[in-house]
Amino acid sequence: MTADSIADASAASGTEVGYPNGHLGHLKPEEQEALESFKTNLAEKGYYKPGPPASHDDQTLLSSVEVSRDQSVLRRDCNCNCMLSPAMRQCKDPDLRGMSGDGGDDKNKVQNLLDWIGKANTWMPWNVVDAFKQFKETEDWRRANDLNVLYDTIDLEAYEASRRLYPQWTGRRDRRGIPLYLFEIRHLDSKTVSAYEKAAETNPSKAVTDGQTSPKLLRLFALYENLTRFAQPLCTELPDRPHATTTPITLSTNIVDVSGVSLRQFWNLKSHMQAASQLATAHYPETLDRIFIIGAPYFFSTVWGWIKRWFDPITVSKIFILGPSEVKASLEEFIDPKNIPKQYGGELDFTWGDQPKTDPYIKETVKWENGLKDFPEGPKYWRPTADGTRMECVAVGREGGKQRMLSVGTLERVCNVKKADGDALAEGVKGLSVGDAEKNEVVETGKEATVPAVSA
C-alpha cells in the first residue's frame, strides 16, 4: 500500500482524512462547538478548571472528544481493517487481504475506507457523554497511580531498562514533523521479559498507587509520559514543519519490526502486549498515527487476528503491513531518507537500544543550558519559561537516590495554541502531587528540585 493510492483516492472523493484534520487549528465549526460543550460539561462535574490558568490544555481535552467517535465506530458494523501490501493480499483471510475483503485493487480499497470515514464524519458526531466517561476514567486512573510522581521520580536505571524493551524514539520525525519511533519485537523473548517483570516488582519511584495496575505496566507508562511530555511538545515547537503555528503535534509514527519472531514468541507475548495495548488505548488516546509493520512472517495472518481486536477500526486503518520489496519506497513517501534507519533502506545510523540520534536541526534550534549539547538520558519534559515566550526542557528522575531537576535548554514557542500552565503545570513540573510530606522529602533529597523556571 503506497501513499500515492491514498492521495489519488482522497483527491477523487474530496475526503480529507488524517492529521491535521480534526486537530486544533483545523476543526470544523461543529467540532469546535463539541469541544467547548465538553469543557463546560467537565467544569460542571469538577474535572476541569477553565482558569486562567486552565487545568488542562485544549488538545488533551480534544483527544477524549475524538475518542468518543472511535467508540461510536466500535458499536457499528464496519469491515474496514487494514491497508496491506500486495504480498499480504495472498493470504486467505479476507480481513487481512484488504479493508473491504472483496479482493479489489489498492485504490478501490482506499476509496472504500475514505468513503466510510467521510460518512462517519457525518453520522458519527463527537459524543460529549462518551468523551466524559473516557476522560474521567483516565483522570481517575492517573490519580490512582500517581502518574506525575511516577514519571518525575522514577529511578533512571529502571526507566532505561523499560526504554530498551519498548518503542524507542529515533530522535527523528516524519515529513509532517511527527516523532518517529522504532519497535523491534524480537528482543522481547521470554527470558528478557521474565527478568524485566521480576525487576518491576519493586517500585522504582516515589509514586503511591492503588495496586490495581500491574507494576510492570506502570513502568511502561513512564515511556508514554515521555512521548506526551517530551517528544510531542518538542516537535510541536519546531518551526520547520507544516502547520507549526496553529496545530500541536499529538501523534507518533511507528516502525514495528516483527522479523525473526516465531509464532511461539508471539503467543508468549500475547497477554502482555494485549494488556499494554488496551491500557494505552484507554489512557493515552489518539497518540498513534501511522504504524508500518515490517518483516511479517508467513503465519502473520494468525497474529493479526489477535492484534486487530486490541484497537478501534480508526487506528487499525492506519496500519500498513509492508512486503520486503515495498519497505524502502513506502517509508520514503512518509519519512525523509535521512531519518529512516539504515536497515530499512535509509541513511540514519540508528540501531535498537541506541539513545535517540537527535536531528541536527533540533540541536541547532535548542538553546542549550548547563554545558549540554544534547538531551540527557532518562525522563524529561517541557514547561514555559518565566515570561512565557519559550519552553524549557527539564530532566527529572532519581539517580543514586537523589532527585534530578536539571535545566537542559529552551526553545522559542511557535505554536499559538492554548496551553495549560500556572499552578497545574507547576505541580506536574515538580512531580509533587501526594501531599506536604512527600513534597518535603523530594526537596530535601534533591536540592535541584527548587530551581525556578529559566528566564527567556
Side-chain angles (χ1 to χ4, degrees), residues 24-25 236-239 241-248 414-417:
L24 291 182
T236 289
E237 302 300 347
L238 295 172
R241 64 181 181 88
H243 318 293
T245 62
T246 60
T247 308
V414 300
C415 191
N416 300 315
V417 298

Side-chain angles (χ1 to χ4, degrees), residues 88-216:
M88 297 303 296
R89 269 185 245 114
Q90 301 305 313
C91 174
K92 295 183 182 300
D93 179 359
D95 284 340
L96 190 57
R97 283 207 314 268
M99 293 174 292
S100 64
D102 59 6
D105 61 25
D106 272 354
K107 187 174 294 187
N108 286 337
K109 291 176 181 177
V110 175
Q111 185 65 61
N112 288 339
L113 177 64
L114 292 171
D115 289 344
W116 177 78
I117 291 177
K119 293 176 182 177
N121 287 336
T122 300
W123 46 255
M124 290 183 186
W126 287 348
N127 187 311
V128 173
V129 175
D130 283 350
F132 174 74
K133 181 177 182 294
Q134 191 282 327
F135 186 86
K136 179 182 183 301
E137 289 175 351
T138 292
E139 288 294 291
D140 292 347
W141 176 81
R142 291 184 65 85
R143 292 191 186 102
N145 291 290
D146 231 352
L147 259 294
N148 282 345
V149 173
L150 170 70
Y151 184 66
D152 295 351
T153 66
I154 191 170
D155 178 79
L156 264 62
E157 291 185 7
Y159 178 88
E160 283 298 309
S162 299
R163 189 195 67 82
R164 287 191 292 268
L165 280 184
Y166 294 106
Q168 301 171 1
W169 184 43
T170 60
R172 302 303 173 96
R173 300 168 291 156
D174 69 12
R175 294 187 184 275
R176 300 163 299 166
I178 294 172
L180 175 65
Y181 282 74
L182 173 64
F183 189 17
E184 294 185 3
I185 293 181
R186 63 180 174 275
H187 301 285
L188 269 70
D189 56 58
S190 56
K191 181 179 179 180
T192 301
V193 173
S194 176
Y196 170 76
E197 291 181 346
K198 184 176 181 179
E201 293 174 359
T202 303
N203 187 349
S205 75
K206 291 294 181 179
V208 178
T209 76
D210 65 358
Q212 298 300 307
T213 302
S214 168
K216 64 187 178 185

Side-chain angles (χ1 to χ4, degrees), residues 273-422:
M273 295 185 70
Q274 180 178 5
S277 299
Q278 290 177 339
L279 275 173
T281 300
H283 301 308
Y284 294 89
E286 304 298 319
T287 55
L288 288 174
D289 195 53
R290 293 170 181 144
I291 302 170
F292 300 96
I293 296 181
I294 293 173
Y298 71 92
F299 56 78
F300 194 71
S301 60
T302 299
V303 178
W304 176 247
W306 312 333
I307 295 175
K308 68 183 180 183
R309 294 181 176 88
W310 303 345
F311 302 100
D312 60 83
I314 297 290
T315 299
V316 173
S317 72
K318 300 174 184 178
I319 299 175
F320 298 69
I321 303 178
L322 304 178
S325 64
E326 299 176 304
V327 172
K328 184 176 185 296
S330 296
L331 291 180
E332 287 182 356
E333 291 175 2
F334 299 101
I335 309 164
D336 191 293
K338 68 181 180 182
N339 296 325
I340 299 173
K342 288 182 177 179
Q343 60 266 41
Y344 308 116
E347 304 168 10
L348 180 62
D349 186 16
F350 180 90
T351 56
W352 180 254
D354 286 351
Q355 289 294 323
K357 298 297 176 69
T358 308
D359 187 336
Y361 176 79
I362 296 177
K363 290 185 177 182
E364 295 170 2
T365 306
V366 173
K367 181 181 178 182
W368 300 101
E369 303 280 347
N370 292 310
L372 295 170
K373 296 182 179 179
D374 203 347
F375 297 107
E377 296 182 6
K380 300 169 286 290
Y381 51 75
W382 296 86
R383 65 180 181 181
T385 55
D387 67 358
T389 63
R390 301 180 69 84
M391 295 292 285
E392 176 196 16
C393 179
V394 180
V396 291
R398 298 170 71 89
E399 191 169 16
K402 184 178 181 181
Q403 179 67 36
R404 180 175 71 161
M405 194 73 171
L406 176 67
S407 178
V408 175
T410 64
L411 271 175
E412 181 180 357
R413 296 179 78 170
V414 300
C415 191
N416 300 315
V417 298
K418 186 176 181 181
K419 299 177 183 293
D421 48 20

